[in-house]
Amino acid sequence: MTTLLIPKPPLFSFKECLWFLNRSYDDCLYHITDNSVTKAILIDEQTVVITVTEDQENIVVNVLTGRLPTQSKTALSTYIDDWFDLQRNIEPFYKLLSAHPSLGYMATDFAGLRLMNIPDVFEAICWSIIGQQINLTFAYKLKRAIVEKYGTYIVIDGVKHYTFPKPAVLALLSIEDLKALQFSRQKADYIITLAKLFEAGEISKAQLLQLSSADKVKTLVSLKGIGIWTANYVLMKSLNDTNGIPHGDVGLLKALEDHALIINRKDDKAIAHLFSQFPGWQSYLVHYLWRSLAIPKS
DNA sequence: GGCCAGGACTCAA
DNA sequence: TTGAGTCATGGC
């Protein structure tokens, strides 16, 4: 079995990250225990199943599906870096956060939480389309339906570990196929059209990463089914771009209300003012605000 | 039964 | 550029 040790960066808490992944939802793309997460991922065109845990100094990655070639270890290491956002020094964010009168507690209560990414940008876009305008519980249910029907899986100890369906598979579906899984007609259309674009190579993560934040948003919004909310969600959650703010997000607005940072949900000035206090860390602020919405730790 | 949910689109003015 | 109407389905 291949094992990878990745030194923990400063201001990193594996438990906090794990807790965020879990929250109270039913995510079909990983399995979580008290101290580990197990997930199927794509490395160099090959699906492998990994379990991530920690020891005193390291993040410990075990590949359950057999030995990895040396060059794939690098790809795996990069995947973990992306997933847990390990390459970022978040100390400047903590300085800003600690200094804030009503948000400072987060630097202590959520200490070491990283912005948990969705490295596969196709998956990230599909997920944000699925999540548009429906409650999260139902959104996770829809995701499970499409993953279990069209994704691939590897069985380890009798448990199926799924990967998100590939564009090539979804590109061949009809709208009726997804409607049968309780997708609305529009969402079915958006996702199939998107899959065709990815399959044709007309859009890719590599291409998006080369653009400025503004151009990323512009490119994404030009696609059918992606509005300003979704585009910024993708910047924040998949492109490691900290300028992503999912404007108008109901969860974000609720968190701002909870902290008495806005008077009402159209208080754009107050919102702009808050984010202006966190230059370069907007997406982290959103992530921490989302974290504050979840059930408090016992 | 009614309101809401980690929105986007179209079309009118 | 802004606003209203539409889509669409489950959770609570």
Side-chain angles (χ1 to χ4, degrees):
Chain A
M1 184 165 73
T2 299
T3 297
L4 203 64
L5 296 179
I6 301 173
K8 292 184 204 170
L11 294 173
F12 171 81
S13 163
F14 183 64
K15 286 219 181 309
E16 278 297 330
C17 295
L18 216 54
W19 194 93
F20 185 86
L21 284 182
N22 203 18
R23 291 185 282 172
S24 53
Y25 298 109
D26 175 37
D27 198 304
C28 57
L29 291 177
Y30 37 72
H31 292 87
I32 298 200
T33 70
D34 283 346
N35 54 15
S36 76
V37 52
T38 303
K39 177 177 177 55
I41 62 173
L42 208 57
I43 295 292
D44 294 339
E45 307 293 314
Q46 184 163 4
T47 307
V48 301
V49 178
I50 58 170
T51 290
V52 184
T53 55
E54 64 174 338
D55 64 18
Q56 205 66 24
E57 297 89 22
N58 302 294
I59 297 165
V60 182
V61 185
N62 282 307
V63 181
L64 305 182
T65 40
R67 188 167 291 279
L68 270 189
T70 307
Q71 69 269 25
S72 294
K73 285 187 187 176
T74 307
L76 175 58
S77 181
T78 301
Y79 184 94
I80 302 295
D81 280 354
D82 277 358
W83 188 14
F84 289 87
D85 198 34
L86 298 179
Q87 293 294 330
R88 201 182 305 280
N89 171 18
I90 63 173
E91 192 187 345
F93 173 60
Y94 270 55
K95 281 190 177 160
L96 294 171
L97 197 56
S98 303
H100 192 279
S102 52
L103 300 180
Y105 76 94
M106 292 180 169
T108 316
D109 285 18
F110 310 151
L113 173 65
R114 296 280 165 154
L115 203 164
M116 299 306 296
N117 281 295
I118 303 171
D120 178 348
V121 74
F122 176 66
E123 174 191 331
I125 299 176
C126 287
W127 171 231
S128 57
I129 289 173
I130 289 172
Q132 289 169 4
Q133 187 57 20
I134 60 176
N135 64 70
L136 272 180
T137 303
F138 182 47
Y140 277 101
K141 196 171 158 189
L142 286 179
K143 181 164 100 168
R144 178 174 289 280
I146 194 172
V147 165
E148 292 187 347
K149 177 108 183 169
Y150 298 108
T152 56
Y153 62 84
I154 290 181
V155 179
I156 304 274
D157 294 335
V159 179
K160 289 178 179 175
H161 298 276
Y162 284 94
T163 57
F164 195 80
K166 293 185 176 62
V169 174
L170 298 185
L172 298 177
L173 300 186
S174 69
I175 290 177
E176 299 305 323
D177 289 330
L178 289 180
K179 279 197 71 180
L181 303 182
Q182 295 178 285
F183 282 66
S184 67
R185 178 167 295 279
Q186 297 101 316
K187 287 188 184 178
D189 188 16
Y190 298 158
I191 287 175
I192 293 167
T193 304
L194 188 70
K196 289 175 179 167
L197 288 174
F198 268 87
E199 177 60 6
E202 291 181 35
I203 179 166
S204 68
K205 184 170 185 176
Q207 168 218 332
L208 288 169
L209 284 174
Q210 291 180 345
L211 305 175
S212 67
S213 299
D215 284 340
K216 286 174 198 160
V217 171
K218 198 181 294 181
T219 301
L220 288 166
V221 167
S222 72
L223 306 175
K224 202 173 167 63
I226 299 182
I228 204 73
W229 176 86
T230 304
N232 278 288
Y233 181 93
V234 172
L235 258 66
M236 156 179 181
K237 290 286 283 187
S238 190
L239 300 176
N240 298 50
D241 188 327
T242 56
N243 291 310
I245 306 172
H247 296 282
D249 178 82
V250 294
L252 173 59
L253 292 171
K254 183 175 187 320
L256 294 174
E257 284 176 340
D258 289 349
H259 291 88
L261 291 167
I262 56 174
I263 300 164
N264 60 62
R265 297 196 170 188
K266 290 186 177 176
D267 196 352
D268 292 336
K269 273 189 184 170
I271 296 172
H273 174 67
L274 173 66
F275 279 104
S276 74
Q277 296 173 276
F278 291 84
W281 297 98
Q282 291 89 332
S283 66
Y284 257 85
L285 181 58
V286 172
H287 195 252
Y288 273 59
L289 287 166
W290 280 347
R291 167 64 182 84
S292 76
L293 292 171
I295 309 163
K297 289 190 295 180
S298 56

